Structures are given as C-alpha cells and as structure tokens.
Amino acid sequence: MIIQPKTRGFICTTAHPEGCAKQIEQQIEYVKAQKKIEGPANVLVIGASTGYGLASRISAAFGAGANTIGVFFDKAAEGQRTASAGWYNSAAFEQQAAELGLKSHSIVGDAFSDAIKEKTIALIKAEYGTVDLVIYSVASPRRTHPVTGETFSSVIKPVGTAYSNKTLNFHTGEVSMTTIEPATEEEVRQTIAVMGGEDWRMWIDQLQAADVLADGATTVAYSYIGPEITHPIYRDGTIGQAKHDLEQTAIQMNNLLASKGGRAFVSVNKALVTQSSSAIPVVPLYISALYEVMKEKGLHENCIEQMYRLFSEHLYGEGKATADGSCLIRIDDWEMREDVQTEVMKRWDELTTDNAGELADLEGYRQDFFNLFGFRTDGVDYEADIDPNVDIPNMY
Ligand code: NAD
C-alpha cells in the first residue's frame, strides 16, 4: 500500500516502515560516530520503542555495545492499518543490532502488568543472567493496577487554579489563548498512579526478588522541569505531581540499592517533540520557540544527543554521577541556560499567529512531528507501494 500521514490533532494514525527504519539508522550513525561508552553490559529499557526510551536503547547498544531488552506497547499492522511507529522502530533496531552481533530481544505488552514483568524476568534468566541498567521511560495515558485491577487515567491539567496561556496549532501555525480548568483531587490521584513512581518501583522490586538485578545496578527514569511559563501546566500541574512522586521513588530506591553499590536517578531531560509531549497544551509553542533559539545558538539536541550525553557524561565513564540527596541528573542544562531562557521569554511575549514562523521554529516542530511516524525523511519514496507488515526479529 501507499502510506501517507493521516493526522488528527496531535495524533498520526499511520506510520511508514522505511521512514522509521531510516530514522533509526540516523540515530545509530550518530552514536557510532561518538566516543565509546564504557559500560553497561545488559540493559533493560521499559518504554523502548519511541522517544527517550528508544534513544536510550540505541545509546546502550550502539554506544556501549550492550545487550538490550526492550519492553514496549505497540501494534503490528492489520489489514489496511499500518503498524505503530514504535513497532517499525523496534523492528529496525533489532535488525541493526543483529547485524552488529549484539544480543537483543523485544517484548511487546503492557509493562504495568505482572504478566509482562514475569515474562521479562524469565527472558533475563534464560538469556542474560542479570541486567545492570534498567531504564524506565514509559509514557502512557492509562494504567491498570496489577493488584487492585483499578484502571487509572492521567490528565494534563493545572492544580488549584485555572491556567491561561498561548498555545499553538502546529498544523496551521495558529497561536491562540487557551484556558485549562484545574484538575480534581481524583484526577491528581489517578495521574500520579499512571505516571508516578509506583510501577518503576514494582519493576525494581520484582527484578531484585527474582535475583536478576546485578549488584551495582543502575536505574534511571525521566522527568521534565522547564521554565516558569509552563510550570502551571507541567511542573506544578497533575503531571508534575506525578514526577514529584517519581523523584521521591528514586530517592527511596537509591537508598535501597546503595547497600549493593547500586544507584537510582531521575534524569531531567530537555523538552522535545515526541508523541507524548505533543499532547500537552502550551508546550508545543514553547518547544518551537526553544528550538529556534537553541538552533541559533548551536545548542539544539534531539533525544539521541541527549541520551548519549546522559550515558557518556553522567551514568558511565570518568566523573560518573553518584546520586546526591536529590538523585536528579540535569541534562536539561542547555535548555535552562539563562541566555537561552531570556531569549525564549522575550519571544514568548511577542508571539502571535502572524510572527510565529519567524520567532519560533514551526517548520522544525512539524518536521520532528512527522519524523516520529517515519514521514518527511530524506531518501524515502513515499509514493512507492510498500508492505506494512513487518516482523520484529527476536520478539520474545
Ligand atoms: P514516548 O511517547 O515517545 O514513549 C513512550 C514509550 O512508552 C513508548 O515506547 C511506548 O510504547 C511505551 N509505553 C506506553 N505505554 C506502555 C505500556 N503500558 N507498556 C509498555 N510500554 C508502554 O514518550 P517520551 O516523550 O519519550 O517520554 C518518555 C519519558 O521521558 C516520560 O517519562 C516523559 O515524561 C519523559 N520526558 C519527556 C520529555 C519530552 O519533551 N518529550 C522531556 C523530559 C522528560
């Protein structure tokens, strides 16, 4: 079939297998061109098929030569429906890893469930012995609790009072005001249950109980802080409450793992276009302005540059981080630089529909958005008839 993008708001319901494979190749090429990362050996990435989790898996495999297990929730193609981007990404990842002789497996299913945790543990026992790095990069709108069976939904809302600010329709370039009403206490509770630290902790507890977590193992989850203009909708909003819970979980787990030389961190990453971040009001306009400023200053990074920097400068090698009291690693340091933020805020005040194309990088935002689904990628013939059915090698 001929596969074209079909968008509905911030969702694209199609994905292009060749485009996704090309995107993976580019990320791999970037990592291979950098200095080798010293460690880890066996890595489990939960939420491994897109965005930061995928870039973490690529950095571990192609930057450090690690064996990797990727857990993710993606769908295969069916009839006239293409597979999801994460499916095609993972198929390409597995192929490239095999070509380099790296051991890797993919597990498709709900990471929140006991069944997938048990399956992962069985795979580690059978093939890897132990894992020495566990990356937790799940971003989901829903979670069913494995013990109570309750299904929680996360919302992106302010807490306490309503929040109004500029927002962007990145398809049309229209900048308008939006007002988001505050979350109820119940919505806060449910968002923490989905995006907070409980599931991360369950993974580490179960890996430890099964004796498949190596002594001295490291675990990392991801968070975002961002500038004050987005604090009401992010840092101080429902998602920020969940991230606070995640950060508290890191502190508890770090204390727990420290007795065996292990470490737990939350890495605070840069704002980037991913399937999750495009769903947040206000943030896409901020990201567009940020891209423009960071590109002008030669500071722009994508997920892969961020993750390579996390691995090579913070987690491994000389001067590797030890978890301080906060357990936070800041690789949002370039985004939060004073000169960057001053310039972004100056533009923010001036941004309207008429000048958004000049003051912000709308084209860069769109490009990244379509790239997420394998579209607008150089060297891909989008008019060609292509089979959407692609197998993921090494699926467990
Ligand atoms: P993403 O949507 O690109 O990736 C989410 C991953 O989670 C995918 O691999 C998906 O398959 C997987 N997933 C979702 N539900 C699952 C389930 N039930 N079981 C198994 N896998 C599941 O998201 P992202 O933006 O890369 O976000 C990853 C983390 O990084 C999140 O914690 C997010 O808050 C954080 N972060 C993102 C940004 C940003 O700007 N995008 C910035 C800082 C931190």
Side-chain angles (χ1 to χ4, degrees):
M1 67 198 257
I2 292 167
I3 305 173
Q4 298 285 346
K6 276 200 197 118
T7 58
R8 234 181 331 155
F10 51 80
I11 291 167
C12 182
T13 56
T14 51
H16 199 282
E18 268 184 28
C20 288
K22 273 247 152 40
Q23 302 284 334
I24 299 297
E25 261 172 49
Q26 287 167 6
Q27 292 198 36
I28 292 172
E29 284 316 311
Y30 171 79
V31 170
K32 278 174 146 177
Q34 312 304 312
K35 202 167 150 258
K36 188 174 187 288
I37 299 162
E38 298 304 325
N42 295 328
V43 180
L44 168 62
V45 182
I46 307 154
S49 62
T50 55
Y52 276 116
L54 172 64
S56 308
R57 192 180 188 193
I58 292 174
S59 298
F62 297 92
N67 303 318
T68 61
I69 301 168
V71 177
F72 48 88
F73 211 15
D74 280 275
K75 286 203 180 93
E78 208 186 317
Q80 281 305 295
R81 215 188 51 208
T82 71
S84 54
W87 181 279
Y88 293 138
N89 290 341
S90 303
F93 174 92
E94 289 288 357
Q95 255 158 23
Q96 299 269 337
E99 273 171 32
L100 216 75
L102 296 169
K103 190 162 163 176
S104 71
H105 287 90
S106 290
I107 294 182
V108 181
D110 181 8
F112 297 132
S113 69
D114 278 343
I116 288 296
K117 291 183 178 75
E118 284 159 16
K119 197 172 179 176
T120 308
I121 287 167
L123 170 63
I124 300 171
K125 281 188 173 163
E127 294 281 344
Y128 298 83
T130 56
V131 288
D132 54 351
L133 174 64
V134 180
I135 299 282
Y136 189 86
S137 187
V138 174
S140 172
R142 261 174 303 283
R143 169 179 175 227
T144 297
H145 197 282
V147 178
T148 65
E150 185 178 357
T151 297
F152 311 102
S153 295
S154 71
V155 297
I156 297 167
K157 291 187 178 179
V159 172
T161 49
Y163 167 64
S164 297
N165 214 325
K166 293 176 190 176
T167 197
L168 170 73
N169 176 333
F170 60 86
H171 294 297
T172 63
E174 189 194 345
V175 176
S176 60
M177 284 301 287
T178 186
T179 298
I180 306 134
E181 294 302 321
T184 62
E185 270 180 37
E186 178 58 14
E187 286 173 322
V188 174
R189 181 184 78 87
Q190 293 207 21
T191 306
I192 294 172
V194 179
M195 289 297 287
E198 188 186 23
D199 185 57
W200 183 25
R201 173 75 195 247
M202 284 178 164
W203 270 98
I204 296 300
D205 283 350
Q206 292 183 32
L207 292 168
Q208 255 194 334
D211 216 13
V212 294
L213 197 63
D215 286 353
T218 297
T219 185
V220 188
Y222 299 137
S223 183
Y224 181 65
I225 293 180
E228 266 178 34
I229 46 157
T230 64
H231 279 187
I233 192 67
Y234 199 98
R235 191 65 188 165
D236 299 335
T238 46
I239 184 80
Q241 304 283 318
K243 293 299 184 188
H244 179 72
D245 184 71
L246 190 79
E247 288 158 25
Q248 292 307 307
T249 305
I251 295 169
Q252 289 161 13
M253 287 201 303
N254 190 57
N255 291 336
L256 203 84
L257 297 174
S259 64
K260 288 188 172 171
R263 308 173 294 166
F265 297 105
V266 165
S267 172
V268 182
N269 302 346
K270 178 193 180 191
L272 279 173
V273 182
T274 64
Q275 294 185 38
S276 302
S277 69
S278 27
I280 307 174
V282 183
V283 166
L285 184 60
Y286 165 72
I287 290 181
S288 306
L290 179 74
Y291 272 26
E292 183 76 14
V293 172
M294 291 189 82
K295 283 179 184 175
E296 274 177 25
K297 289 181 180 286
L299 293 173
H300 182 65
E301 294 172 303
N302 281 315
C303 289
I304 195 65
E305 288 90 352
Q306 279 264 293
M307 291 300 96
Y308 177 80
R309 200 149 67 86
L310 172 67
F311 276 67
S312 62
E313 290 180 15
H314 295 276
L315 296 181
Y316 299 100
E318 271 175 46
K320 72 179 183 185
T322 48
D324 61 4
S326 74
C327 294
L328 288 187
I329 292 175
R330 302 295 298 261
I331 53 167
D332 63 342
D333 47 353
W334 297 357
E335 169 182 354
M336 299 312 290
R337 251 172 55 168
E338 204 181 324
D339 58 325
V340 171
Q341 285 301 319
T342 305
E343 184 55 33
V344 174
M345 290 313 127
K346 190 171 144 256
R347 288 169 191 232
W348 187 264
D349 291 338
E350 296 165 12
L351 270 167
T352 63
T353 305
D354 291 340
N355 63 22
E358 292 140 48
L359 296 182
D361 185 16
L362 293 193
E363 226 10 77
Y365 191 100
R366 287 187 194 118
Q367 175 75 20
D368 280 9
F369 177 79
F370 285 103
N371 281 176
L372 294 177
F373 305 94
F375 296 110
R376 296 200 190 178
T377 307
D378 287 345
V380 178
D381 178 1
Y382 290 105
E383 301 305 323
D385 200 354
I386 184 167
D387 185 357
N389 296 294
V390 174
D391 288 335
I392 300 180
N394 297 329
M395 196 141 96
Y396 186 73

